[in-house]
Amino acid sequence: MNPPVFPLSGERALGRRAFVGSSLSFAAAALLSNTRLRAAARPSFSADPFSLGVASGDPTPDGVVLWTRLAPRPLEPGGGMRPEPVEVAWVVADDEALTRVVASGTAVANPAWGHSVHVEVSGLRPGRWYFYQFRAGGVESPKGRTRTMPAAGSLPDRLRFAFASCQNFESGHYTAYEHMAREELDLVVHLGDYIYEGSAQRGRPRLHNGGEIFTLDDYRLRYALYKSDPALRAAHAAAPWIVTWDDHELANNYAGDIPGKPASREEFLRRRAAAYQAYYEMMPLRRAQLPSGPDLLLFRSLDFGRLATFHVLDTRQYRTDQPQGDGRKPPSPELLDPRGTLLGERQRAWLDAGLERSAGTWNVLAQQVMMARVDLARGPEVLHSMDQWPGYEFERRRVVRHFRDRRVKNPVVITGDIHSNWANELVADFDRPDAPPVGVEFVGTSISSGGDGAIEPAFTKELMSENPFVKYRNNERGYVRCDVTPAAWRADFRTVPYVELPGAPINTRASFVVESGRPVVRRA
Ligand code: FE
Ligand code: CA
């Protein structure tokens, strides 16, 4: 194998434009041009600076984001880096040996952004596999594999992707990611709870580093701990990821800018800024997602040709406070208050317009909390959590009725958050559960959160008989693999029987199919 050719500086792409990607503001970039020579002088590292691995994400038909973050000592504040910018070279090639280089350049890893690198590569060809690698101070990163989206306007005959969520490091091993990394997937979608903010708990299979996290350094170190797991790094290196967050990337069940006790709003927004910056630093996101103080624009859409459009939602940053009450039928007047919102007005208008305009055969809402409203006369309180869409019943009805009234093509909601697998049909009015469904929802279980699970959780029979639109429920750990064609959507619930010990095998616990034009979930 020939080593890849790295340019000393500047940027180079074969007949195409390549961006020098970095997480810099223009002002910071200008400042850096002075330090570039010094930065380019070969840095030396006390250990492998690529300990956090590589990743790619948010593909388009002609490009993708490449990510890494330099951290020779990832579990120490500062990551073992001196507080200086460092130049990082990157290459993209057609082949795994990186001999046929199609794009290359350099980026600057800036200490203000945790020495993270976000390269927005362009000029690639649609619907193709690529391989990439970084180099800094003479050290090569692991290689990553990524894929561009199919050509705009084309109708691909197949999309294979997996979605995952909820990977509490303490709850168990990332065995599911070991298996996911071996699947042939065009994409991975992560629906949030990538980290958990809590302090170390005694007696868990693995331990968090330190107490509850509040500062930028705290969040960085928590992400670094999670990335110390080789299975997570392998899953990132195997395919491009589309990420969004839920609550634990900041704090349990937070809503917008409302502080948890006892913090003030100002303190909470400082914490939010720290959490959002660390998230950006650790994820393969575009410059459009660069945070500004406590704000980070995460809702966005991505097209897989005309086969699928991913509408990626953020149901945390803009939501109003969770209402009181248990959400049982009939909904209390508070739940029907039009001021209650999960999306916020701007995101909802964007979603409405995006769904109407979409050319996608399948319209995927990639989001966090369960949209189906299940009811159980006698059961655990968690089924009625006011943290989920039914806590925002007015807006939930608006979204589902929009599917119906605007004849949105094949809405498929994919959901994380509750550490269990569900297949649901979405009816416009859950007070008339026999009404015809207007969309479907697949809820994916956790990677590890909750520890070893059960094939059939308590109350499943009662729940399914009282809520006939629920077609499946399971709470083993794992992920959902989706095989999508113009004619049908197949969802395989891939589960591992345990995570508290390593090495579990994977199996397909259940499979469901939805035919295009018919929002009905049936067993495959
Ligand atoms: Fe979770
Ligand atoms: Ca959650």
Side-chain angles (χ1 to χ4, degrees), residues 165-166 191-193 196 245-249 251-253 316 368-369 387 416-419:
S165 62
C166 294
L191 299 173
D193 288 358
Y196 283 70
W245 54 33
D246 193 22
D247 52 335
H248 289 288
E249 284 85 353
N252 185 37
N253 285 1
R316 286 291 163 192
Q368 292 74 43
V369 289
D387 189 54
D417 180 48
I418 49 174
H419 314 167

Side-chain angles (χ1 to χ4, degrees), residues 292-320:
S292 167
D295 303 315
L296 188 157
L297 179 73
L298 200 55
F299 65 84
R300 61 206 190 280
S301 68
L302 297 98
D303 292 322
F304 192 88
R306 285 189 296 116
L307 182 56
T309 297
F310 289 88
H311 308 266
V312 181
L313 306 187
D314 170 359
T315 61
R316 286 291 163 192
Q317 193 172 177
Y318 315 106
R319 73 156 77 188
T320 50

